[in-house]
Amino acid sequence: MLSSTNLYKSFNIVQNVLLQQTRNTFVLKRRYPPPLHKKNGKLPKMKARHFIYDLVQDTNVVKQPHISVILKTFVQGVGKEGDVLTLSHNVAYKDYIVPGLAVYHRPENAEKYQQKDQNTLEEAEFSSPYAQRTMGCLSRLVLQITMNKLEPWILEKWHVRVSFRKAGFVVPEEAIEMPSIVIKGPDLSLQEKEFYVTVTINKTEKVNVRCRIHHWATGLDRLEWSEFHWKKPLEALIPEQAEVLEKMPLPT
Amino acid sequence: MASRIQATVRQLSKSYKKKTKFDIGIATELPAAYKKFWHEWKVLKPAAVHFVPQEGKWKRDEITGETLPIQNIPIPLKYPAEFHEGIWGGEAVIKGFQKRDNRRRRVPHYWVPVLKRTVVRSEVLNTNLSVTVTDRTIRLINDHYGFDHYLLKTPACDLKSMLALKLKKQILTELMNGCHRHAHDPQKQKEIYEEYKTYLSSYTPEEIEWYGLSWYEALHKVAAQKEAANKPVPLKNIYRKNLVEKLKAAGIEEHKTATDELSTTTSWLSKMNPFGKKDEA
């Protein structure tokens, strides 16, 4: 009796599972096992009830063990050659093995790629696996520096730092290199100008970040909102920077 | 009388062997290499994918304490046409019933594997292929450390699908010929050959030639071979040869010039006027 109630309960669970789409290998079980047959003899005569199956296991629910792969080349944001990554089956296969970025972690491969790793350790292109990604993010950024429209100010490093923080980047002040001229305000002509500051990542990589000044005020003094202002090409504030700014791509 | 008939029947039944596929018609001429492949493909039992086989030979009934043999009857699988266009890693369609409630009638149900299209890379063939697979296939490829290793290590009864078998055959042929697709890079060619050459030891060149052929392909191959071997020779060639030999036997010196003339005239005529009149030739 006890076993039958248990079976009933488990069956209800199975039913709930079956209502959803399942991405798995179905492991089934006959509910009514067929009768025994002679050794090496004919199979027993099967009736319809012998084809009633219950789901035993849903391989989607079972957690799959991760596999490890060895990187063949430097991969941005992941690691350098010879690094061992532990990933899920599908991710490892789809993102690393098929594009040829990594090989399976086998003794032969470990030997082959580990040795190369030791030789090229000093020649690593970037200071960290994430440096290249950060450089990309910063070079695409249009940094809006919000300054007061009514109170007089001189643009300083900490203004830029705060603006970076508002845009989601924590940049220490010593990593910021300000433009050569002193920028003073409030000056509404700055609203239509742009310049760049240079950020040093890990004291090695240098990136130019496009900056624009926005004059802030409340009430009637507030400047009118212009749509997609970050896409508009603007004039360079400092003539020496014009060439570099032209080469930096604007967001589209 | 009756006992005598029984005795003969018994005797005959011992010597009588039921005719198989290979004992009828042109199939009798199929080579042993193909029979071996057929055995690997159709006769061997595939690995249990859709059920959990019970371990051991015997088990004891919990209630009665009776000892019973363990007989694993595999769940029958369906192989649709699409099965042969992908590599499903041993999975297939199951047709059966579900009993969703004890008080209700069973309902028919098909359990179909979830298929997806992905890229597989073959090192030996030096190509990427877009193939329909299941999650299980990818797991198997990863467990075998690569697509080629998976195909070469897995017997035909587990691969089952025509696509997988054809690829396996192609890979084996390529290995046998020494990886020509990597000819531009001799070092890599050597590396790959060294890695995969162990698999060649279990096949002879003839077996590779007959590997991965369906029943009808194999029959066609036999028929084609037979036809090529017994190609009919035109009678005119035979008669001409006989005539020349007869003439030679009669007197070499006398007819030497005549035979030369004959050969030149016939060749010239056959070139210029193949449908000429009889008295001209």
Side-chain angles (χ1 to χ4, degrees):
Chain A
M1 190 60 210
L2 190 82
S3 67
S4 73
T5 49
N6 270 348
L7 199 128
Y8 192 72
K9 263 187 204 167
S10 65
F11 190 57
N12 272 343
I13 295 166
V14 165
Q15 231 182 310
N16 291 338
V17 167
L18 284 175
L19 291 175
Q20 309 155 6
Q21 191 201 13
T22 48
R23 298 188 168 276
N24 50 21
T25 307
F26 298 106
V27 179
L28 304 178
K29 195 186 151 204
R30 285 197 162 88
R31 178 171 288 200
Y32 307 103
L36 295 172
H37 59 89
K38 286 267 184 263
K39 201 174 169 186
N40 300 326
K42 248 192 203 172
L43 284 182
K45 202 173 176 188
M46 302 288 258
K47 299 207 168 184
R49 65 165 175 270
H50 298 133
F51 298 101
I52 296 177
Y53 303 127
D54 289 339
L55 191 69
V56 174
Q57 195 196 26
D58 184 344
T59 47
N60 196 32
V61 172
V62 178
K63 198 166 187 185
Q64 298 295 336
H66 284 197
I67 62 163
S68 44
V69 294
I70 306 170
L71 280 182
K72 272 162 88 179
T73 49
F74 171 83
V75 179
Q76 190 188 333
V78 177
K80 57 184 181 304
E81 186 183 342
D83 280 2
V84 178
L85 309 175
T86 308
L87 303 160
S88 81
H89 271 276
N90 275 323
V91 171
Y93 184 77
K94 196 176 71 187
D95 296 344
Y96 294 93
I97 301 289
V98 171
L101 297 174
V103 289
Y104 292 107
H105 192 189
R106 308 170 68 184
E108 307 94 273
N109 286 339
E111 228 172 67
K112 197 172 158 190
Y113 291 97
Q114 219 70 48
Q115 282 173 351
K116 276 187 189 171
D117 172 38
Q118 283 166 359
N119 298 336
T120 54
L121 198 63
E122 290 148 24
E123 298 169 20
E125 280 181 57
F126 297 97
S127 56
S128 86
Y130 314 106
Q132 202 184 1
R133 190 174 66 187
T134 315
M135 279 169 76
C137 289
L138 287 177
S139 65
R140 269 176 267 125
L141 182 71
V142 178
L143 188 68
Q144 301 291 335
I145 303 173
T146 312
M147 302 305 286
N148 201 305
K149 195 187 166 190
L150 306 172
E151 298 293 325
W153 47 259
I154 297 171
L155 191 71
E156 281 174 38
K157 272 190 182 178
W158 67 269
H159 292 120
V160 181
R161 192 194 74 203
V162 170
S163 306
F164 265 121
R165 204 175 61 218
K166 281 167 83 178
F169 296 88
V170 177
V171 184
E173 271 182 37
E174 58 267 25
I176 300 169
E177 198 185 303
M178 295 296 284
S180 51
I181 61 158
V182 178
I183 300 167
K184 276 186 196 172
D187 178 3
L188 283 180
S189 68
L190 287 176
Q191 196 75 22
E192 295 301 316
K193 299 272 172 67
E194 64 180 6
F195 60 96
Y196 68 76
V197 296
T198 310
V199 177
T200 316
I201 303 166
N202 291 340
K203 294 177 187 167
T204 33
E205 290 94 356
K206 294 206 169 196
V207 211
N208 295 333
V209 184
R210 188 194 296 272
C211 301
R212 288 170 179 186
I213 286 173
H214 175 69
H215 288 84
W216 174 90
T218 52
L220 292 173
D221 295 323
R222 187 193 300 209
L223 285 178
E224 209 179 305
W225 167 259
S226 67
E227 236 178 26
F228 300 114
H229 56 85
W230 58 90
K231 288 184 183 177
K232 255 190 281 176
L234 294 185
E235 204 184 314
L237 176 68
I238 309 157
E240 293 93 72
Q241 288 189 349
E243 206 180 318
V244 181
L245 280 170
E246 223 165 82
K247 279 179 191 168
M248 286 159 69
L250 269 173
T252 46
Chain B
M1 189 62 194
S3 67
R4 261 175 68 193
I5 292 171
Q6 274 178 2
T8 38
V9 164
R10 211 179 299 134
Q11 214 170 13
L12 279 174
S13 68
K14 269 181 196 170
S15 59
Y16 177 73
K17 210 178 150 194
K18 207 179 171 187
K19 276 192 176 177
T20 60
K21 235 172 145 76
F22 287 96
D23 298 328
I24 303 159
I26 198 170
T28 50
E29 288 163 44
L30 282 169
Y34 186 71
K35 280 181 193 165
K36 188 188 166 191
F37 165 69
W38 184 266
H39 185 265
E40 189 191 321
W41 188 22
K42 298 282 180 181
V43 181
L44 286 185
K45 287 267 179 304
V49 177
H50 289 291
F51 67 100
V52 186
Q54 284 181 308
E55 296 283 321
K57 274 190 171 177
W58 307 92
K59 68 175 175 198
R60 202 178 280 282
D61 194 304
E62 274 177 27
I63 299 163
T64 61
E66 219 178 339
T67 311
L68 297 166
I70 290 172
Q71 293 174 346
N72 285 312
I73 301 174
I75 287 175
L77 303 174
K78 300 268 168 198
Y79 298 106
E82 291 82 2
F83 176 83
H84 293 285
E85 288 160 19
I87 302 171
W88 293 8
E91 288 187 55
V93 178
I94 302 168
K95 177 187 166 186
F97 299 105
Q98 280 181 342
K99 198 156 168 72
R100 298 178 185 173
D101 190 314
N102 275 347
R103 290 155 296 176
R104 294 204 186 223
R105 187 66 173 165
R106 58 178 185 245
V107 282
H109 190 81
Y110 283 83
W111 284 268
V112 183
V114 177
L115 304 173
K116 54 184 182 185
R117 189 162 271 278
T118 187
V119 173
V120 292
R121 166 136 193 90
S122 169
E123 287 288 335
V124 178
L125 298 178
N126 196 16
T127 43
N128 291 324
L129 304 160
S130 168
V131 187
T132 313
V133 297
T134 60
D135 269 348
R136 189 184 149 83
T137 319
I138 293 177
R139 217 175 313 135
L140 286 171
I141 291 173
N142 284 339
D143 291 346
H144 286 87
Y145 301 124
F147 181 64
D148 301 284
H149 283 292
Y150 164 62
L151 283 189
L152 293 170
K153 241 182 225 175
T154 314
C157 61
D158 284 327
L159 292 176
K160 213 97 181 169
S161 93
M162 228 47 242
L163 175 71
L165 293 172
K166 295 276 177 209
L167 281 174
K168 187 173 179 179
K169 181 189 176 156
Q170 215 177 338
I171 289 170
L172 282 171
T173 329
E174 191 67 25
L175 273 179
M176 198 170 62
N177 298 337
C179 308
H180 280 310
R181 298 200 182 193
H182 287 281
H184 58 278
D185 188 355
Q187 200 196 332
K188 194 167 188 199
Q189 186 181 10
K190 201 183 162 193
E191 257 174 40
I192 282 177
Y193 184 75
E194 289 294 314
E195 193 179 345
Y196 293 98
K197 72 174 178 187
T198 47
Y199 298 110
L200 277 179
S201 60
S202 43
Y203 304 94
T204 62
E206 201 204 353
E207 277 165 17
I208 293 173
E209 196 191 329
W210 286 92
Y211 201 91
L213 294 179
S214 72
W215 180 251
Y216 290 102
E217 280 168 353
L219 291 188
H220 275 292
K221 191 169 172 146
V222 164
Q225 276 185 356
K226 219 172 142 189
E227 206 183 310
N230 309 327
K231 206 178 175 185
V233 183
L235 284 174
K236 66 170 185 182
N237 291 0
I238 298 168
Y239 292 152
R240 186 183 299 144
K241 213 176 168 186
N242 289 348
L243 179 69
V244 170
E245 269 170 20
K246 269 183 193 170
L247 289 173
K248 268 184 187 173
I252 304 161
E253 290 167 24
E254 203 179 315
H255 296 284
K256 207 173 187 179
T257 50
T259 51
D260 285 344
E261 253 175 49
L262 189 79
S263 63
T264 50
T265 48
T266 47
S267 69
W268 178 82
L269 267 178
S270 61
K271 269 182 195 167
M272 296 306 293
N273 191 8
F275 304 108
K277 282 173 191 171
K278 270 181 188 171
D279 42 15
E280 260 183 329

